[in-house]
Amino acid sequence: MSLALATAGESHGPALVAIVTGLPAGLLLDRDAIDRDLRRRQEGYGRSPRQQIETDEVEVLAGVRHGRTLGTPVALVVRNRDHANWSWGMSPWPPEGEARGKGARPVTLPRPGHADLAGTLKYGLADVRDALERASARQTAAHVAAGAVTKALLREIGVEVEGTVAELGGASGDAVRDAIDAARSDRDTLGGVVEVRARGVPPGLGSYATKDDRLDARLGAALLGIQAVKAVEIGDGFTLARMRGSEAHDEILRDPERGVFRETNRAGGLEGGISNGEDVVVRAAMKPLPTLMRPLRSVDLETGEPADALVERSDVAAVEALAVVAEAAVAWELARAAREKFGGDALGDFVAAHAAYVERVDWQPRTP
Ligand code: EPS
């Protein structure tokens, strides 16, 4: 039994769609909790005016009855309110009447750092919009909705996942707002680093059996699959490379009260591609957003002449949003690994398998 996710949707199309398969029957979903995560993703200092147009809310079209999953595919939809301004330009069918609203004129000025140029070449497109619409980070709303569903599943076995901003534009804490204000007045953008911590993860999720089973590889792929993420670190990651083995590893201790435990967690809760019972800790680095109000040099794909890149409304920074999106991605991947390990068609089977297993390995959740 494994979870699978299919998504669809363009940034200014009618809606974003997520279809989740592999959930057990009987999981109680809380619409407000899903909408809360969608709202958290929209918040943050330095977001684009687009966020004043959107009020993301989940609609459930299938797989849930009276708030409980049926064990069948769950279909989630998040509507794009901005589509009203793009109804001609982003019409799925040949639009009728005079060209009007946004997206009516083709884009031919690819932005360095966005998918514009590579996407246009790959798919043989005349309008860069045909590439940028799906490449857009707007898509992350669908992943947050799916992630919120898996957070509910993980909570049933005592796992809590939380994403936070570690640094933004090289600043941290209160200095973050000043960094964003400075970048905005320079008409520039910023990236940053987020950290996701999962508490209550039992030992034994993932496996060293194959590369595809390794939980660290899977978390890495889940995070690198988020728009603008350029690097991922598991535990102390790059710092470990500069340490000696005698100081890099987390010694194994045991006492009768706590069972087996560690005093340090430099491995980020993962050894040999398997969770080891400590908190899972991963970090993701986001590059500065590529839509710039002071555009970089580019080439007009229609004329072949040098030109400035496309200038469009955009965020100054979306690192706070990334913290929520990365949290959803980690929750998704941990839930997928938990479904593989504990199975069960009914939620009670899944929870009972987890309980029997943690008893066998004599593992207790860490107290924070
Ligand atoms: C994005 C460009 C901006 C962001 C968008 C991601 O969109 P727009 O061109 O409509 O202003 O606002 O992010 C979202 C809409 C969102 O909900 O996160 C991009 O090019 O990736």
Side-chain angles (χ1 to χ4, degrees):
M1 178 61 70
S2 188
L3 282 177
L5 174 63
T7 67
E10 280 73 45
S11 180
H12 305 99
L16 308 169
V17 180
I19 297 185
V20 180
T21 56
L23 288 166
L27 174 65
L28 187 63
L29 296 182
D30 174 358
R31 181 165 49 182
D32 290 344
I34 301 172
D35 286 345
R36 212 157 37 240
D37 277 354
L38 288 172
R39 209 160 38 247
R40 283 172 64 220
R41 192 200 69 91
Q42 290 198 272
E43 289 165 359
Y45 200 63
R47 291 287 263 153
S48 129
R50 171 81 185 271
Q51 298 312 321
Q52 283 143 34
I53 300 172
E54 304 297 342
T55 319
D56 292 342
E57 281 169 347
V58 74
E59 270 176 60
V60 177
L61 298 191
V64 178
R65 180 159 182 255
H66 300 175
R68 283 195 192 273
T69 56
L70 297 170
T72 53
V74 171
L76 307 171
V77 172
V78 178
R79 306 256 169 213
N80 292 322
R81 288 177 199 235
D82 199 19
H83 180 65
N85 302 312
W86 298 71
S87 58
W88 193 96
M90 287 302 294
S91 169
W93 296 110
E96 287 175 5
E98 286 291 295
R100 63 185 181 280
K102 295 188 165 189
R105 282 217 311 275
V107 176
T108 61
L109 304 168
R111 291 159 294 175
H114 216 287
D116 299 353
L117 178 61
T120 307
L121 296 174
K122 176 178 169 69
Y123 291 102
L125 308 172
D127 184 350
V128 173
R129 182 154 304 285
D130 287 342
L132 70 84
E133 281 287 334
R134 177 65 182 164
S136 163
R138 171 75 187 144
Q139 177 57 213
T140 57
H143 288 271
V144 167
V149 170
T150 56
K151 279 167 65 181
L153 178 67
L154 289 172
R155 214 162 281 132
E156 296 287 340
I157 55 168
V159 177
E160 293 284 344
V161 187
E162 188 189 9
T164 51
V165 174
E167 58 178 272
L168 199 162
S172 57
D174 293 344
V176 158
R177 282 190 169 224
D178 292 343
I180 293 175
D181 288 340
R184 186 189 285 109
S185 66
D186 291 344
R187 293 149 76 215
D188 219 326
T189 60
L190 296 173
V193 178
V194 301
E195 180 173 294
V196 182
R197 178 177 292 267
R199 296 184 169 85
V201 179
L205 298 190
S207 172
Y208 44 72
T210 71
K211 277 166 80 170
D212 293 345
D213 295 324
R214 286 184 173 262
L215 190 55
D216 42 10
R218 289 164 54 161
L219 291 169
L223 291 166
L224 286 163
I226 301 169
Q227 287 80 348
V229 170
K230 292 299 262 186
V232 171
E233 198 174 37
I234 311 276
D236 284 0
F238 282 89
T239 308
L240 293 174
R242 292 177 223 118
M243 291 173 135
R244 288 190 166 192
S246 55
E247 50 183 13
H249 299 295
D250 307 308
E251 290 183 297
I252 301 170
L253 309 172
R254 185 171 197 289
D255 80 29
E257 294 269 294
R258 295 164 71 184
V260 170
F261 70 98
R262 318 293 177 100
E263 275 178 340
T264 56
N265 186 17
R266 298 185 195 102
L270 291 157
E271 291 171 309
I274 312 179
S275 59
N276 65 6
E278 303 300 314
D279 288 357
V280 169
V281 185
V282 293
R283 291 155 77 89
M286 181 184 223
K287 68 186 178 185
L289 302 174
T291 308
L292 296 168
M293 298 303 124
R294 269 200 314 201
L296 296 174
R297 287 179 296 173
S298 183
V299 170
D300 188 325
L301 297 180
E302 200 179 8
T303 64
E305 296 297 320
D308 285 342
L310 173 70
V311 178
E312 267 201 341
R313 163 189 77 184
S314 190
D315 308 278
V316 178
V319 184
E320 288 166 278
L322 176 64
V324 181
V325 177
E327 172 185 299
V330 168
W332 174 270
E333 209 48 50
L334 292 177
R336 196 160 77 88
R339 289 295 287 143
E340 287 161 13
K341 178 139 185 61
F342 303 121
D345 296 313
L347 178 68
D349 301 342
F350 172 76
V351 172
H354 168 270
Y357 169 74
V358 296
E359 191 179 336
R360 170 171 79 72
V361 298
D362 189 24
W363 175 83
Q364 294 154 31
R366 306 300 180 229
T367 43

